[in-house]
Amino acid sequence: MKEFDISFPINHVPSKEEIEASAARALGVKRDKVADVQILRRSLDARGEILYRYRIGAAAQGDDPLDRYVLPEYKYVASAEPVIVVGGGPAGMFASLRLLMEGRKPIVLERGKNVHERKVDIANLSQRGIVNPESNYCFGEGGAGTFSDGKLFTRSNKRGDIREVLHQLVNFGADRTILTDAHPHIGSDRLPGIVENIRNCILEHGGEYHFSEKLIDLIRIEDGRSVQWKAVCEGGATYTAKSVILATGHSAWDIYELFARKGWPLEAKGFALGVRAEHPQSLVNRIQYHGKYQPWMPAAEYSLVEQVDGRGVFSFCMCPGGILVPSATSDGHVVLNGMSNSQRNSQWANAGIVCSVEPGDIPGYERYGVFSLLEFQSDVERRMFDFSSSLKAPAQRMQDFCRKRLSANLPKSSYHPGTVSAPLNELLPEFVYGRLRAAFPAFDRKMKGFYTNDALLLATESRTSSPVRIVRDSETMSAVGLPGLYPCGEGAGYSGGIVSSAVDGILVATAATL
Ligand SMILES: Cc1cc2nc3c(=O)[nH]c(=O)nc-3n(C[C@H](O)[C@H](O)[C@H](O)COP(=O)(O)OP(=O)(O)OC[C@H]3O[C@@H](n4cnc5c(N)ncnc54)[C@H](O)[C@@H]3O)c2cc1C
């Protein structure tokens, strides 16, 4: 087996013959002696001529065959031992699929609605400003990942098999290019169908799905030698099993409160907070493709990081050709996030520009103990709501922000609830403002033209990851002192993003079946 790189112009899809010919050259054999070739990775290179760079794996006759991932089979589990999975986001879905592979029955409890009904609540949220606290951009089937950009890369190097996640997504309807693209994404027009296919697979294999079933209590039942968990839901329904996987996401504050009431292990966890920056996509294309952008090319991305006062300020969850959406889960908060469809063809590019926040940064919040960062996050979101008295986002042009000048007018934005000109330089906490202010001009040195008054900053970008961690035993993966109860995914503080949450789901489900 040999790995090598070849490049082709971005508008040229290489044929099987071209790839085999390059494999023969790389292996130093004749074409008919090439036994196997595989595209391992495809990445865009816009440094000179705009190319796709392909990493190819090739084997000649007599070599060991190429490693090809084979998905384990899902078993029929209707009468198998159940595991309760609370939350139907990426962590809960991929935990459930792993349970099927292990021959265990997932019983999924999801506080929100199925993905179709959820669309109505999302439309009401964007267009009429009505927040349904059980069904919104974070809550409902598929979790926070359903109406998103569906970016599938992760900064995390944590253990776990990302291939299992990507291959299952392809199995349930995602394009095969996600298996090889360096920066794969699915898009919010395709994700709901994939989420529905996952649910159907779980049901067809004997698992259970319960929507509008909100967990409000967990009771440990000890009888002699065995320990069981009773999950109590808001309407009074109860479900009992030896193991519960708790994958409720970073916005399920009621779950943290439940843990606090019970005296179960929680700790404050650093997160990141800042603004969403929205540029015209045409500007980002011009910068990133060095003026050589053509309309058939993919919308350009960016990823920026700068150290300010020893702390990182970085772009987060960049959505090329995307739109901004209101992702608060309760009234009285302004929270933004970004999503895009598979074509990434809106006229805007947006990204969170955030800086890390640690407990030492927020004097005055110590009195909230493990909830200090969560209270801080919530206060900033509320401050933005109080300014606009609605879901309209307080907003300021980028250079005006750095010059502490109120914007006389605002550029058009993709954010449907609307924007209101605001002194974000005063509304944001001082240390956040100071770091962002230093970072924007510095980003311009890496991406000439980024620092412009044509860019709009909107607040708040705050649900970047959980500000609380449910502490897990590193060996058993159950909550410390609570065998059988498995905190999982982003809400537990062990992942961030779709892929790492799905990977955590797989790891936790595997641990729960040992
Ligand atoms: C608009 C938007 C765009 C995003 N874009 C991307 C992207 O492009 N790429 C990326 O990697 N990440 C993206 N993210 C982040 C990503 O969606 C999350 O990191 C990921 O979904 C976390 O997975 P999770 O399963 O741990 O939690 P979640 O997805 O938050 O799922 C938790 C689930 O638990 C349910 N739940 C909560 N409390 C209860 C309860 N008490 N009882 C029953 N059910 C409950 C919720 O309804 C929800 O369905 C985006 C997020 C948003 C909001």
Side-chain angles (χ1 to χ4, degrees), residues 85-94 108-116 118-119 122 125 134-150 188 191-192 194-196 198-199 209 211 247-252 325-329 337-339 490-491 497-498 501-502:
V85 179
V86 189
M93 286 189 296
F94 282 84
V108 182
L109 310 180
E110 168 53 57
R111 78 194 287 164
K113 299 182 189 169
N114 73 47
V115 75
H116 289 292
R118 195 178 164 195
K119 283 183 184 166
I122 282 181
L125 176 53
E134 310 304 340
S135 178
N136 45 57
Y137 275 98
C138 291
F139 293 161
E141 186 177 17
T146 309
F147 302 99
S148 76
D149 179 49
S188 54
L191 283 157
I194 293 170
V195 164
E196 192 175 5
I198 292 176
R199 183 221 312 157
Y209 246 88
F211 291 112
T248 45
H250 60 30
S251 292
V325 296
S327 53
T329 45
N337 212 312
M339 75 175 203
E490 191 157 22
I498 295 169
S501 301

Side-chain angles (χ1 to χ4, degrees), residues 166-195:
L166 297 180
H167 278 266
Q168 293 199 85
L169 285 168
V170 169
N171 203 20
F172 292 115
D175 197 284
R176 287 193 70 78
T177 53
I178 67 166
L179 300 175
T180 47
D181 273 357
H183 287 179
H185 94 111
I186 295 182
S188 54
D189 48 335
R190 305 252 170 96
L191 283 157
I194 293 170
V195 164

Side-chain angles (χ1 to χ4, degrees), residues 242-319:
K242 280 190 189 150
S243 305
V244 176
I245 295 175
L246 194 62
T248 45
H250 60 30
S251 292
W253 294 347
D254 38 6
I255 293 296
Y256 302 134
E257 283 157 15
L258 172 69
F259 268 63
R261 275 201 309 279
K262 303 245 179 200
W264 291 347
L266 293 173
E267 64 187 24
K269 176 186 146 295
F271 75 115
L273 182 140
V275 293
R276 273 264 151 189
E278 187 169 64
H279 287 78
Q281 181 65 49
S282 55
L283 174 70
V284 175
N285 289 340
R286 205 160 51 239
I287 302 172
Q288 298 298 73
Y289 285 115
H290 311 292
K292 288 181 272 183
Y293 174 76
Q294 298 291 326
W296 44 265
M297 291 179 179
E301 308 169 23
Y302 62 81
S303 170
L304 294 164
V305 59
E306 186 67 30
Q307 290 296 313
V308 180
D309 303 332
R311 281 293 177 78
V313 179
F314 54 94
S315 59
F316 175 81
C317 192
M318 197 260 153
C319 292

Side-chain angles (χ1 to χ4, degrees), residues 272-386:
L273 182 140
V275 293
R276 273 264 151 189
E278 187 169 64
H279 287 78
Q281 181 65 49
S282 55
L283 174 70
V284 175
N285 289 340
R286 205 160 51 239
I287 302 172
Q288 298 298 73
Y289 285 115
H290 311 292
K292 288 181 272 183
Y293 174 76
Q294 298 291 326
W296 44 265
M297 291 179 179
E301 308 169 23
Y302 62 81
S303 170
L304 294 164
V305 59
E306 186 67 30
Q307 290 296 313
V308 180
D309 303 332
R311 281 293 177 78
V313 179
F314 54 94
S315 59
F316 175 81
C317 192
M318 197 260 153
C319 292
I323 60 167
L324 293 166
V325 296
S327 53
T329 45
S330 52
D331 268 332
H333 296 246
V334 176
V335 183
L336 279 82
N337 212 312
M339 75 175 203
S340 54
N341 62 27
S342 51
Q343 295 301 311
R344 287 181 161 168
N345 55 3
S346 94
Q347 56 181 294
W348 287 282
N350 71 70
I353 305 289
V354 293
C355 67
S356 49
V357 182
E358 299 295 334
D361 294 326
I362 47 170
Y365 283 86
E366 299 88 348
R367 65 181 189 280
Y368 296 110
V370 293
F371 292 141
S372 56
L373 288 151
L374 193 144
E375 286 295 335
F376 168 78
Q377 176 193 51
S378 175
D379 277 356
V380 180
E381 297 172 2
R382 271 198 297 259
R383 198 176 307 152
M384 300 305 163
F385 183 90
D386 290 345

